[in-house]
Amino acid sequence: MSLTGLGVLLIGVAFLLLAIFLARVLNRLAGVLSGVNETMAALPKQMNQLLGETGNLIHTSTQTLADTNKKLESLTPLFQIVGDIGDTTRTYSSSLVDVVDSAKSKVEQADEAKRNEKIGGLYGIAALGYYTVRKRNEIKNQKTVRPRKLYVTGEQRAFDIERMKQEAKEAATIGKYTADDK
């Protein structure tokens, strides 16, 4: 055997191996293609089932939507009633706010002098009550008081009460004891 024969033999073996490899690849490709063929054959049946299910789904959705519309129609009067109640409540509360604002403005515009006179009178009444209670306690604690001393003490107390009333009026006039409303 010569080198040419040996080269031809090697080329023949290479072609044989290549043919075996290609046969296996082609055999696998034939299997894949037969699987695709089976899938393609089953596809029209599956599409028919899918379209049938889709039709059923659309029909069910339509029925559900119709049922929902009927129920909403029955609830519409309820929503209208709630809306009317809300409007009435809003109207009532706005009129109440107007009344409160009006009363507040009237109170703010009250005559300051009358308020001061009332406060001065209250201070005078409080001072008189304090003097009366204090004098009653002194009388209870003392055994006997001479009339002259009692008269002088009463005159002094009356003077003190008048002085306190005057101080209360002055304090009320300058607003010393009033809260700052503004």
Side-chain angles (χ1 to χ4, degrees), residues 111-181:
D111 189 18
E112 190 68 30
K114 287 186 179 184
R115 283 180 52 192
N116 291 337
E117 285 178 15
K118 288 179 183 178
I119 291 174
L122 290 176
Y123 286 136
I125 291 171
L128 181 62
Y130 173 73
Y131 170 74
T132 305
V133 169
R134 190 167 158 200
K135 193 62 179 172
R136 186 179 298 158
N137 288 340
E138 283 180 9
I139 290 173
K140 286 181 182 179
N141 292 337
Q142 292 179 350
K143 293 182 182 177
T144 56
V145 177
R146 294 187 318 185
R148 177 73 185 148
K149 187 176 178 185
L150 183 63
Y151 177 75
V152 172
T153 305
E155 284 291 319
Q156 182 63 35
R157 298 295 182 199
F159 177 75
D160 288 342
I161 289 173
E162 287 300 319
R163 184 180 49 81
M164 286 191 216
K165 282 183 179 179
Q166 189 63 30
E167 287 175 0
K169 283 181 183 179
E170 289 173 7
T173 303
I174 63 172
K176 185 175 181 181
Y177 297 111
T178 59
D180 206 8
D181 292 335

Side-chain angles (χ1 to χ4, degrees), residues 60 62 68 93 119 141:
T60 305
T62 304
T68 304
S93 63
I119 291 174
N141 292 337

Side-chain angles (χ1 to χ4, degrees), residues 3-181:
L3 284 177
T4 317
L6 189 58
V8 171
L9 182 64
L10 283 176
I11 289 174
V13 171
F15 274 127
L16 179 65
L17 289 176
L18 182 64
I20 292 172
F21 177 73
L22 283 176
R24 292 182 82 202
V25 169
L26 289 175
N27 193 16
R28 287 185 184 164
L29 182 62
V32 169
L33 287 176
S34 69
V36 169
N37 190 21
E38 290 174 11
T39 303
M40 290 300 287
L43 188 61
K45 287 181 183 179
Q46 291 175 353
M47 287 300 290
N48 285 338
Q49 289 176 352
L50 181 65
L51 289 175
E53 290 295 323
T54 305
N56 289 338
L57 179 65
I58 290 172
H59 180 68
T60 305
S61 298
T62 304
Q63 287 178 344
T64 304
L65 185 60
D67 185 44
T68 304
N69 285 337
K70 285 180 185 177
K71 289 179 181 177
L72 280 176
E73 286 175 5
S74 66
L75 286 177
T76 300
L78 179 66
F79 288 136
Q80 289 174 348
I81 290 170
V82 169
D84 291 344
I85 290 172
D87 290 342
T88 304
T89 305
R90 183 174 35 86
T91 304
Y92 176 71
S93 63
S94 66
S95 65
L96 187 62
V97 166
D98 292 342
V99 169
V100 169
D101 286 342
S102 173
K104 184 177 178 183
S105 66
K106 286 179 183 177
V107 168
E108 288 174 354
Q109 295 172 357
D111 189 18
E112 190 68 30
K114 287 186 179 184
R115 283 180 52 192
N116 291 337
E117 285 178 15
K118 288 179 183 178
I119 291 174
L122 290 176
Y123 286 136
I125 291 171
L128 181 62
Y130 173 73
Y131 170 74
T132 305
V133 169
R134 190 167 158 200
K135 193 62 179 172
R136 186 179 298 158
N137 288 340
E138 283 180 9
I139 290 173
K140 286 181 182 179
N141 292 337
Q142 292 179 350
K143 293 182 182 177
T144 56
V145 177
R146 294 187 318 185
R148 177 73 185 148
K149 187 176 178 185
L150 183 63
Y151 177 75
V152 172
T153 305
E155 284 291 319
Q156 182 63 35
R157 298 295 182 199
F159 177 75
D160 288 342
I161 289 173
E162 287 300 319
R163 184 180 49 81
M164 286 191 216
K165 282 183 179 179
Q166 189 63 30
E167 287 175 0
K169 283 181 183 179
E170 289 173 7
T173 303
I174 63 172
K176 185 175 181 181
Y177 297 111
T178 59
D180 206 8
D181 292 335

